[in-house]
């Protein structure tokens, strides 16, 4: 059946008023234009939609059926209008973000504040390591990424929003905790538990020691910050992690930060997207929120290191 939305609007107005003349007035059309639209609609329906008894017009059975669907369609279109208006006003929509495994220690806090302010926005979050994030940026299947400094040479827009210091951790009874200031070379006597290849923490750590010409002996490799912290607590070696991962362990005294020369390794967190990407209003809003407010929301005494 071929019909147009305009014909349905005309039909709905005629049915509501029971009059071609009043429908024409409401729609700012001539009465013959209204009659023509109804005639065409009846032709495509293959059934009469109105019947005239005396001066009044009434819906036929087919007309009543069509009227029922018309009202549903009109309601849906109204709702669509409202939703699109709200999207323009940024109150509603879907935000898809991906964050580094390490950033997931603070991302939920940011998302909680953001979603309290914008409860109509639904958020989907993927947590992966740096390599996974670069894949997301490559396939362009997310709005925004939160990661350490992205590599040069990719067409990316990256805005820094807060510091990400990497520190050396040890169990509290480790001899280097009591030693006070630890010269960098002393670390060569220690074994390190390290993150998996593809992790930003691992890459930053390797670059740092290569620049300082320090050879570390690495023991076990683990694919999460939690595993590293557990291994260090269990005495399997020292670890290097972002201070963002340590809130609980520092509070409870289960791990200690060593005071090593040239530490912490100073990094930053960035909110990142592809150059030329058309950010949705919701993504734009989240990006502005992160850049303007994340630092204040995330700062705690440990971050002053
Ligand atoms: P990651 O952190 O070690 O969890 O990949 C990302 C980064 O620091 O760049």
């Amino acid at each position: 059946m071929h019909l147009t939305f305009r014909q349905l609007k005309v039909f709905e107005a005629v049915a509501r008023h029971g009059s071609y003349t009043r429908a024409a007035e409401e729609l700012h059309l001539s009465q013959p234009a209204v009659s023509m639209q109804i005639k065409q609609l009846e032709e495509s329906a293959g059934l009469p939609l109105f019947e005239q008894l005396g001066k009044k017009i009434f819906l036929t059975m087919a007309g009543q059926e069509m009227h029922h669907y018309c009202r549903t369609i009109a309601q849906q279109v109204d709702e669509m209008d409202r939703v699109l208006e709200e999207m323009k006003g940024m109150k509603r929509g879907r935000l898809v973000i991906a964050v580094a495994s390490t950033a997931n220690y603070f991302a939920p806090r940011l998302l909680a504040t953001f979603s309290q302010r914008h409860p109509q926005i639904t958020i989907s979050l993927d947590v992966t390591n740096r390599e996974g994030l670069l894949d997301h940026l490559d396939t362009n299947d997310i709005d925004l990424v939160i990661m350490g400094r992205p590599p040069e040479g990719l067409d990316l827009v990256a805005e820094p929003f807060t510091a990400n210091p990497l520190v050396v951790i040890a169990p509290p009874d480790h001899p280097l905790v009591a030693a006070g200031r630890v010269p960098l070379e002393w670390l060569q006597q220690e074994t390190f538990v390290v993150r998996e290849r593809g992790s930003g923490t691992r890459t930053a750590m390797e670059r740092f020691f290569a620049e300082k010409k320090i050879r570390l002996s690495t023991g076990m490799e683990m694919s999460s910050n939690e595993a590293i912290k557990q291994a260090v607590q269990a005495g399997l070696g020292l670890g290097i992690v972002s201070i963002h991962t340590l809130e609980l362990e520092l509070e409870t005294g289960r791990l200690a930060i060593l005071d090593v020369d040239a530490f912490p390794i100073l990094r930053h967190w960035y909110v990142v997207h592809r150059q030329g990407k058309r950010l949705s209003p919701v993504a734009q809003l989240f990006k502005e929120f992160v850049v303007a407010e994340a630092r204040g929301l995330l700062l705690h005494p440990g971050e002053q290191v």
Side-chain angles (χ1 to χ4, degrees):
M1 179 168 151
H2 177 75
L3 49 80
T4 65
F5 191 60
R6 184 177 172 75
Q7 286 168 347
L8 288 184
K9 270 182 96 166
V10 171
F11 168 78
E12 194 280 326
V14 175
R16 186 159 31 87
H17 288 293
S19 153
Y20 288 93
T21 316
R22 272 190 269 150
E25 275 166 19
E26 181 185 298
L27 298 170
H28 306 292
L29 293 172
S30 67
Q31 202 211 321
V34 169
S35 308
M36 174 63 77
Q37 297 280 347
I38 298 296
K39 192 161 165 281
Q40 284 169 355
L41 191 58
E42 288 183 323
E43 272 163 20
S44 34
L47 288 165
L49 301 171
F50 293 103
E51 54 196 358
Q52 182 135 17
L53 299 176
K55 285 202 157 168
K56 282 206 80 171
I57 58 166
F58 295 90
L59 286 166
T60 60
M61 289 286 274
Q64 285 174 23
E65 280 297 323
M66 187 175 277
H67 194 214
H68 166 75
Y69 286 105
C70 261
R71 276 203 304 245
T72 313
I73 293 167
Q75 279 162 6
Q76 296 271 304
V77 170
D78 279 355
E79 191 180 312
M80 176 183 81
D81 266 356
R82 234 185 8 259
V83 169
L84 292 180
E85 280 310 308
E86 282 176 359
M87 281 176 85
K88 282 185 220 154
M90 298 173 195
K91 289 187 229 135
R92 182 189 283 258
R94 189 169 136 81
L95 175 69
V96 184
I97 60 171
V99 306
S101 358
T102 304
N104 196 39
Y105 283 84
F106 61 78
R109 236 178 301 161
L110 292 184
L111 295 179
T113 306
F114 184 73
S115 87
Q116 264 161 21
R117 288 191 206 162
H118 308 284
Q120 304 273 52
I121 294 177
T122 52
I123 299 170
S124 152
L125 171 71
D126 184 35
V127 181
T128 179
N129 71 13
R130 179 178 175 86
E131 204 165 76
L133 297 174
L134 292 173
D135 282 349
H136 273 306
L137 287 165
D138 194 40
T139 48
N140 195 28
D141 58 357
I142 31 81
D143 291 315
L144 293 167
V145 158
I146 291 181
M147 67 187 303
R149 190 181 187 82
E152 307 283 329
L154 305 179
D155 276 347
L156 299 173
V157 178
E159 293 215 35
F161 61 89
T162 197
N164 175 26
L166 304 186
V167 293
V168 184
I169 51 168
D173 56 357
H174 192 283
L176 290 183
V177 177
R181 193 85 176 159
V182 177
L184 205 51
E185 301 76 48
W186 288 15
L187 296 185
Q188 296 183 116
Q189 315 303 321
E190 303 291 328
T191 303
F192 277 77
V193 185
V194 293
R195 282 281 303 278
E196 79 285 7
R197 290 197 181 280
S199 136
T201 308
R202 165 89 176 250
T203 311
M205 175 192 125
E206 286 179 344
R207 188 174 313 134
F208 174 84
F209 286 111
E211 274 167 16
K212 306 278 182 208
K213 305 207 173 8
I214 299 280
R215 282 185 68 84
L216 281 196
S217 68
T218 49
M220 290 187 196
E221 188 176 293
M222 308 204 165
S223 63
S224 79
N225 290 300
E226 283 310 300
I228 301 258
K229 291 189 293 179
Q230 294 292 338
V232 173
Q233 276 180 56
L236 289 174
L238 301 182
I240 291 179
V241 292
S242 161
I243 196 141
H244 289 286
T245 67
L246 291 173
E247 207 166 306
L248 206 63
E249 286 76 11
L250 295 180
E251 249 170 54
T252 54
R254 273 186 269 155
L255 284 172
I257 296 178
L258 294 184
D259 184 7
V260 181
D261 272 347
F263 267 83
I265 302 174
L266 279 180
R267 308 188 70 217
H268 281 88
W269 289 115
Y270 292 77
V271 57
V272 183
H273 58 84
R274 292 268 294 266
Q275 184 115 43
K277 184 172 177 65
R278 293 187 59 183
L279 291 183
S280 69
V282 166
Q284 185 62 35
L285 188 67
F286 184 70
K287 179 179 168 179
E288 283 162 17
F289 163 76
V290 169
V291 172
E293 299 190 45
R295 192 163 187 282
L297 287 168
L298 301 180
L299 208 63
H300 60 82
E303 287 179 66
Q304 310 289 353
V305 188

